[in-house]
Amino acid sequence: MEDITPMLTAAEREKAMSALLGKQADDIPDIDLDNLDDLLNALSHEELEELNGDFDPDNSLLPPSQRSRNQTDKEATGPFSRQHLLTFLEKQAKTEKDWEQNKSYVKESKGKKFVAKEQERTTVNEDDTAMETEWDEILVSASEEELVDLAAVLGFHSMLTQTQYYASLRDETVHEGGFTGAAKAQELKLVPDEAPNTTDIEESIKQLKANDPKVKVLNLNNLKNVSIDKLCEVCEALKDNTSCIHFHLAGVAASDRVGKTLAEALAVNKTLKTVNVESNFLSPEIILELVKAVNVNQSVIELRVSNQKPEVLGNKVEMAISKLLQENKTLLRFGVTFEYADARIRTNERLKQNFDDLRKKRVGK
């Protein structure tokens, strides 16, 4: 028999001893660890092969070929080829028969089947004698519409639809469809469209330049297809005009060029009281210029510049506007949207102070 004991290290010898103790514990009650070689010599060739194949050194850096013995008896078929291996496995899977089922499938239900407990029925009157009242005959003979009215009066709103509920609050008829009726949406009231603005801008420019006293209010809101040059010409005509008091130029797609011309006119004009340029394309810098122009003469009491194409003014512009308004003593209404609370609070406080000063002046204080 071939001697394979020299291949064992000290750690492997301890493992072998543990295996021997586990295998022959019943046969060998006392084993001397110094006679390990004699124990290994007593094993057969097959037992030594099996024992030597189970050992694995603790050094995990070694490749598997060096950590354990080769236990394959077949000859090598050549170098490793992944494609050749996949082809072989696929061919073997197609030719190999499926495993036979040892036991056919049978649907089984394990455990106890859940059975709901019957709820105990409670009876209001244990005796068979029912109490009769004078309302029983009235309720039995009442129609469903009358019962709906009665439910609304008694406040049983959970039995009514939303339409019936609100109708009961307004003391209207609430028996629409009875208790099974469906709530219907309120019919929309048709509101006629606003008539288009038919103001002649050419005639308005002539009246402004001629300082016509009839033109107290100039409303150019929502005019269609008006060029920027015409709008600038209207603003230029306001510089020398002393009759126009309210000027409205909202929703005409006015650009910064129009806003700059209007700011120049506000710095000169002392008659305008209301200026509305909402819903245009004015930039935050032009809005700041309009506020500066209003502060020159301080004759404007209402200025509206909100809903421009650049919706956000920015913190720098908002704080600059609120600082300018602190110097204005006559402005009462200022239509603008502030993002920051600091500028909004400062502006509101200034406008309230202007209203209070106007009240004191009116009462003579």
Side-chain angles (χ1 to χ4, degrees), residues 79-98:
F80 174 73
S81 175
R82 180 177 180 274
Q83 186 62 36
H84 181 69
L85 178 60
L86 293 177
T87 305
F88 170 75
L89 293 176
E90 184 179 357
K91 182 179 179 181
Q92 186 179 11
K94 290 181 178 179
T95 57
E96 213 172 42
K97 294 182 179 180
D98 294 337

Side-chain angles (χ1 to χ4, degrees), residues 280-323:
N280 286 302
F281 299 96
L282 303 181
S283 63
E285 291 75 13
I286 295 300
I287 294 176
L288 184 60
E289 291 295 328
L290 290 175
V291 177
K292 290 180 181 179
V294 167
N295 278 8
V296 174
N297 297 317
Q298 296 195 11
S299 60
V300 177
I301 62 175
E302 182 177 356
L303 176 63
R304 299 191 176 276
V305 293
S306 62
N307 194 29
Q308 304 298 328
K309 186 61 175 178
E311 297 180 358
V312 179
L313 299 179
N315 183 56
K316 183 178 179 180
V317 175
E318 290 184 8
M319 296 307 297
I321 291 175
S322 63
K323 186 177 180 180

